[in-house]
């Protein structure tokens, strides 16, 4: 049973469409959660510091989710592991509907996000297997998740003009359940071909520990610098007089450019290589956070800075996937480690964001600029390490 049927389609086309639809539904929930869940917390009466702690839980669960992704390299395979994780996440979101106290909200968030955080890198593993097996382009599949994020943010902005903010948790639960049904159409990795891919992954290449550590730490800093925006961007814009619909539009602008990067940036990413692409995205991030720290309130200025999300996030994400895909041993585990490390960066950044917002409001973005600069420097150091050890490297780092 699935949301889509593709009788008589080729295996390659089936896999691409199934992954695209699953990505779309998996990221529709975050499209609602990111801009509007903080408003739900505020409506429940939580102050800025409590909100910072609660909003850090999803990032912390990304760290805790790594062992769950490792299961995907075993006999269950990535697909069945993904379906189990997505199903458990739906139950966690459903718990938010009934949660009232700090402890109840924290527990529901923990359940929802420890499993949904494991589901995301598992889906990345499935898609990257399709890149290797069928010649799919990762960005062209991943773009549907970004488009869904865009549409869901706009739709939520319209819905919340007419419905109370308490609508958010039920929406998240429904979207998570739909993700499970879409995931049923993903390729069955119990087939002999998929088993061969998994056996080969156990014997493939792996990055040296020092290289992996430095690169992933740098990526975690760069992506973690988005934490202040994710946690308090909506509240800052609300204080500046933007309506719910306008806030949804601001979030959507970034995703429009992000989607364009995923759709058209694959060839550029291949030409530049992961390190130069991270350098570009990291420097854009430093510029973005520095200007947002000046607390611009003009709509066009904020929209232009939101458009940079397509580079500060998408370029770095594409570079990260390209870097990971060169190493074929235990792909699910490596995806989980990277996702968990980014989660650690976002966790620290979110806790810090609560303090920064309470003390400095929008000027807290300046700290994010510093963090993004540090992360970019670490990735450049990783590039130097790989060039020094080039004979042991599976491919050029760019």
């Amino acid at each position: 049973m699935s949301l889509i049927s593709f009788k008589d389609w080729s295996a390659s086309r089936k896999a691409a469409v199934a992954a695209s639809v699953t990505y779309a539904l998996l990221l529709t929930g975050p499209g609602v959660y990111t801009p509007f869940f903080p408003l739900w917390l505020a409506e429940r009466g939580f102050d800025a510091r409590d909100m910072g702690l609660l909003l850090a839980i999803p990032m912390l669960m990304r760290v805790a989710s790594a062992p769950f992704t490792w299961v995907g390299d075993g006999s269950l395979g990535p697909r069945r592991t993904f379906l189990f994780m997505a199903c458990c996440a739906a139950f966690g979101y459903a718990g938010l509907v009934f949660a009232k106290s700090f402890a109840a909200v924290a527990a529901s968030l923990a359940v929802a996000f420890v499993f949904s955080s494991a589901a995301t890198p598992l889906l990345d593993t499935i898609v990257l297997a399709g890149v290797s097996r069928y010649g799919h382009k990762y960005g062209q599949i991943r773009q549907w998740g970004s488009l869904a994020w865009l549409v869901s943010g706009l739709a939520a902005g319209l819905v919340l003009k007419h419905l109370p903010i308490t609508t958010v948790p039920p929406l998240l639960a429904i979207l998570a359940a739909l993700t499970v049904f879409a995931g049923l159409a993903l390729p069955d990795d119990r087939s002999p071909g998929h088993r061969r891919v998994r056996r080969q992954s156990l014997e493939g290449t792996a990055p040296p520990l020092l290289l992996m550590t430095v690169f992933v730490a740098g990526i975690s800093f760069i992506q973690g610098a988005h934490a202040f925006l994710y946690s308090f961007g909506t509240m800052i814009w609300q204080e500046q007089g933007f309506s719910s619909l306008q806030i949804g539009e601001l979030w959507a602008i970034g995703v429009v450019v992000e989607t364009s990067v995923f759709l058209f940036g694959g060839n550029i990413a291949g030409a530049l290589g992961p390190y130069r692409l991270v350098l570009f995205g990291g420097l854009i991030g430093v510029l973005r956070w520095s200007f947002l720290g000046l607390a611009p309130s003009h709509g066009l200025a904020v929209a232009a800075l939101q458009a940079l999300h397509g580079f500060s996030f998408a370029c770095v994400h594409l570079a990260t996937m390209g870097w990971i895909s060169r190493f074929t041993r235990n792909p699910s585990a490596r995806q989980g480690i990277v996702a968990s490390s980014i989660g650690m960066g976002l966790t620290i950044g979110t806790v810090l964001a609560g303090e920064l917002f309470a003390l400095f409001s929008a000027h807290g973005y300046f700290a994010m600029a510093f963090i993004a600069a540090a992360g970019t420097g670490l990735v450049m150091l990783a590039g130097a390490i790989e060039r020094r050890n080039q004979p042991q490297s599976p491919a050029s780092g760019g």
Side-chain angles (χ1 to χ4, degrees):
M1 179 180 181
S2 66
L3 292 178
I4 48 180
S5 174
F6 7 55
K7 185 185 290 187
D8 301 327
W9 285 13
S10 68
S12 174
R13 191 179 182 190
K14 289 179 184 179
V17 172
S20 298
V21 173
T22 306
Y23 258 129
L25 285 167
L26 184 65
L27 294 184
T28 297
V32 176
Y33 172 91
T34 301
F36 298 111
F37 191 75
L39 299 182
W40 181 80
L41 290 176
E43 190 271 341
R44 287 297 175 99
F46 296 108
D47 61 25
R49 286 182 173 83
D50 282 346
M51 288 175 62
L53 292 172
L54 288 170
L55 293 171
I57 289 175
M59 291 74 171
L60 184 60
M61 290 303 101
R62 292 182 69 172
V63 181
S65 69
F68 294 95
T69 64
W70 302 344
V71 177
D73 288 322
S75 59
L76 279 179
R79 175 181 177 268
R80 283 178 288 174
T81 307
F82 169 82
L83 292 173
F84 176 76
M85 301 302 167
C87 186
C88 292
F91 283 104
Y93 284 123
L96 288 170
V97 177
F98 309 100
K100 290 181 170 52
S101 67
F102 181 95
V105 173
S108 296
L109 282 173
V111 172
F113 279 91
V114 74
F115 291 109
S116 64
S117 296
T120 302
L122 284 165
L123 185 56
D124 281 334
T125 299
I126 294 167
V127 173
L128 289 176
V131 171
S132 174
R133 186 176 177 83
Y134 300 115
H136 295 159
K137 293 186 177 180
Y138 174 85
Q140 291 183 358
I141 294 176
R142 177 59 173 76
Q143 66 166 327
W144 294 104
S146 297
L147 283 171
W149 201 102
L150 182 157
V151 172
S152 62
L154 287 173
L158 290 171
V159 167
L160 293 175
K161 289 182 67 177
H162 306 286
L163 295 177
I165 198 69
T166 52
T167 308
V168 171
L171 282 175
L172 294 174
I174 292 169
L175 293 169
L178 291 174
T179 303
V180 178
F181 285 99
L184 291 170
L186 291 168
D188 185 358
D189 48 30
R190 292 173 295 180
S191 66
H194 284 280
R195 285 199 294 270
R196 284 196 298 272
V197 170
R198 286 208 299 278
R199 282 199 298 270
Q200 291 168 0
S201 74
L202 297 175
E203 302 171 354
T205 56
L209 179 60
L210 178 61
L211 174 63
M212 178 80 176
T213 301
V214 176
F215 181 87
V216 172
I219 294 298
S220 301
F221 274 51
I222 296 172
Q223 301 292 37
H226 292 75
F228 192 89
L229 174 72
Y230 293 160
S231 300
F232 295 102
T234 293
M235 294 188 68
I236 291 171
W237 294 329
Q238 192 176 52
E239 290 175 355
Q240 292 172 337
F242 292 97
S243 68
S244 292
L245 178 58
Q246 289 172 325
I247 290 170
E249 290 171 344
L250 285 173
W251 285 106
I253 286 170
V255 183
V256 170
V257 184
E258 174 187 318
T259 303
S260 299
V261 172
F262 283 136
L263 180 59
F264 301 111
N267 292 335
I268 296 174
L272 290 178
Y275 294 110
R276 283 193 287 265
L277 194 58
V278 170
L279 177 62
F280 174 71
L283 292 178
I284 290 292
V286 173
L287 180 70
R288 184 187 185 193
W289 310 133
S290 297
F291 278 102
L292 281 173
L294 298 174
S297 58
H298 192 282
L300 290 178
V302 177
L305 292 171
Q306 274 299 93
L308 295 181
H309 185 75
F311 305 107
S312 68
F313 168 76
C315 285
V316 176
H317 183 78
L318 271 180
T320 303
M321 293 298 105
W323 189 86
I324 292 173
S325 67
R326 299 176 305 149
F327 305 103
T328 57
R329 185 183 301 169
N330 295 329
S332 296
R334 186 163 294 106
Q335 286 283 357
I337 290 170
V338 172
S340 295
S341 299
I342 293 173
M344 177 64 78
L346 287 167
T347 300
I348 296 171
T350 302
V351 174
L352 179 63
E355 297 294 330
L356 290 171
F357 180 74
L359 293 172
F360 306 111
S361 188
H363 302 308
Y365 280 116
F366 289 132
M368 301 299 108
F370 176 80
I371 291 171
T376 304
L378 282 172
V379 174
M380 294 305 100
L381 175 60
I385 293 171
E386 182 165 352
R387 286 191 294 273
R388 186 186 65 192
N389 299 325
Q390 194 64 43
Q392 288 76 43
S393 179
S396 172

